[in-house]
């Protein structure tokens, strides 16, 4: 998607995009809610001649609709890739780095990500990870952690579960001016696209566990990666690996996640208002150790 198309798309408000993008009326019936396409195989009019779908692992109408929505909601996004879980997205992204690569990761990264880096990728692709307190590290300390084979800097902000806040723009500027030029990934699960836009702050990849806020109904396990227009090479590599590995979500889960995302703004706005009320009450009471009367 061109930057001009991205800009025009984002003229619409967040909630409008959440409701409408990827939710065009069904062409056959004009139903405003898309049907669930469970077919694994699609008829071809001739060899290689079809309507954009040939096998369910390689593409599905419900997955395409969800991906269009996710790319729209993540400001600065051009392409989204939906995965069968956040862990599947993590594994595919790390595998895309190739053998004997190095990652600089925020020190208190999500436990499942830490496990994959240290116990799976380290053993199977010779990956090394340096864990750095990116909230408090100086520029010199960040630069010192980057090696010639550093392919990725992995950020969560806030981190899971200690809620450290990372200056994404600062880390992205360091990475992109370094000779190794590592990609910068931000796991944006905790804030969602409503509260945070890492791509606008220099990130090259944003990932989510859609299981959490974007779906919002505790009935879907799914992940996603969203890529900006200038990193189409990254999107192509991830989509190729996803198809080869088979880390794809089911059509029904895609349909559910798209339904859930329609209310993302309402839910996240209320979460924020409630959190602010708790913080204000806590401050007024001198801390949570005191109980309100």
């Amino acid at each position: 998607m061109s930057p001009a198309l991205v800009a025009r798309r984002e003229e619409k408000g967040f909630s409008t995009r959440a409701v409408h993008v990827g939710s065009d009326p069904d062409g056959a019936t004009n139903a405003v809610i898309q049907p669930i396409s469970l077919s694994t195989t699609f008829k071809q009019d001739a060899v290689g001649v079809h309507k954009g779908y040939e096998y369910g692992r390689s593409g599905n109408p419900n997955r395409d609709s969800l991906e269009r929505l996710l790319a729209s909601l993540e400001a600065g996004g051009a392409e989204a890739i939906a995965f069968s879980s956040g862990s599947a997205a993590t594994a595919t992204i790390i595998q895309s780095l190739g053998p004997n690569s190095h990652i600089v990761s925020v020190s208190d990264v999500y436990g499942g990500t830490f496990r994959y880096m240290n116990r799976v990728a380290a053993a199977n692709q010779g990956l090394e990870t340096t864990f750095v307190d990116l909230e408090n590290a100086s520029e010199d300390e960040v630069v010192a952690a980057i090696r010639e084979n550093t392919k990725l800097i992995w950020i969560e902000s806030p981190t899971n579960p200690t809620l450290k806040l990372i200056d994404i723009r600062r880390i992205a500027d360091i990475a992109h001016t370094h000779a190794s030029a590592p990609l910068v990934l931000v796991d944006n699960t905790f804030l969602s696209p409503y509260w945070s836009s890492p791509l606008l702050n220099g990130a090259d990849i944003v990932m989510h566990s859609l299981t959490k806020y974007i779906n919002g109904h505790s009935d879907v396990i799914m992940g996603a990666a969203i890529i900006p227009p200038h990193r189409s090479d990254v999107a192509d590599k991830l989509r190729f690996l996803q198809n080869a590995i088979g880390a794809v979500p089911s059509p029904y889960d895609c349909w559910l996640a798209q339904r859930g995302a329609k209310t993302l703004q309402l839910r996240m706005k209320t979460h924020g208002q409630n959190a602010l009320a708790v913080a204000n009450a806590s401050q007024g009471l001198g801390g949570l150790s005191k109980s309100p009367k």
Side-chain angles (χ1 to χ4, degrees):
M1 186 180 298
S2 71
L5 284 176
V6 171
R8 285 202 298 272
R9 178 198 65 196
E10 291 178 354
E11 290 175 358
K12 297 180 179 179
F14 186 95
S15 190
T16 299
R17 300 198 307 275
V19 171
H20 290 291
V21 174
S23 295
D24 298 329
D26 177 58
T29 66
N30 277 344
V32 296
I33 297 298
Q34 288 192 326
I36 301 171
S37 178
L38 297 176
S39 182
T40 59
T41 309
F42 299 82
K43 180 182 179 296
Q44 299 190 24
D45 297 323
V47 177
V49 179
H50 49 74
K51 296 182 179 180
Y53 303 100
E54 51 185 336
Y55 189 59
R57 174 166 43 80
S58 302
N60 171 273
N62 296 110
R63 195 195 321 164
D64 285 355
S65 295
L66 174 63
E67 290 175 345
R68 288 198 300 273
L69 173 61
L70 296 174
S72 174
L73 293 182
E74 193 70 61
E79 186 167 355
I81 306 169
F83 290 86
S84 51
S85 67
S87 294
T90 296
T92 304
I93 291 166
I94 291 177
Q95 187 166 356
S96 75
L97 304 179
N100 303 313
S101 298
H102 175 253
I103 292 177
V104 174
S105 171
V106 63
S107 54
D108 54 340
V109 70
Y110 166 60
T113 303
F114 178 87
R115 178 179 60 229
Y116 191 86
M117 289 174 175
N118 267 15
R119 298 183 61 184
V120 181
N124 296 331
Q125 66 184 84
L127 180 92
E128 291 187 78
T129 306
T130 300
F131 296 94
V132 179
D133 179 0
L134 294 177
E135 181 182 48
N136 298 305
S138 67
E139 179 175 343
D140 288 342
E141 289 172 325
V142 176
V143 170
I146 301 175
R147 307 176 186 174
E148 289 184 1
N149 64 331
T150 302
K151 301 292 182 64
L152 183 67
I153 297 181
W154 191 288
I155 297 173
E156 293 174 11
S157 186
T159 58
N160 179 4
T162 59
L163 303 183
K164 289 183 177 180
L165 297 174
I166 314 302
D167 186 336
I168 296 169
R169 171 60 67 182
R170 182 176 79 103
I171 301 301
D173 287 345
I174 293 171
H176 295 155
T177 56
H178 194 279
S180 299
L183 297 171
V184 175
L185 176 147
V186 177
D187 184 335
N188 199 26
T189 297
F190 265 24
L191 286 185
S192 87
Y194 180 73
W195 287 118
S196 179
S197 301
L199 295 177
L200 299 185
N201 284 300
D204 301 292
I205 307 172
V206 167
M207 69 159 289
H208 292 275
S209 169
L210 302 184
T211 312
K212 313 307 190 295
Y213 289 124
I214 289 182
N215 177 59
H217 290 76
S218 299
D219 53 10
V220 166
I221 300 289
M222 195 183 298
I226 299 94
I227 316 296
H230 65 281
R231 295 316 314 235
S232 59
D233 58 323
V234 174
D236 291 344
K237 182 181 289 188
L238 293 180
R239 200 171 289 283
F240 172 83
L241 285 173
Q242 179 195 43
N243 183 59
I245 295 167
V248 297
S250 76
Y252 183 51
D253 283 354
C254 291
W255 187 90
L256 286 173
Q258 186 167 3
R259 171 220 59 182
K262 290 179 185 294
T263 59
L264 180 61
Q265 175 171 344
L266 297 173
R267 292 184 282 105
M268 297 310 292
K269 185 176 181 180
T270 302
H271 287 319
Q273 291 170 337
N274 290 345
L276 183 60
V278 170
N280 287 337
S282 173
Q283 186 177 32
L285 294 168
L288 288 176
S289 59
K290 295 182 179 180
S291 301
K293 295 180 181 179

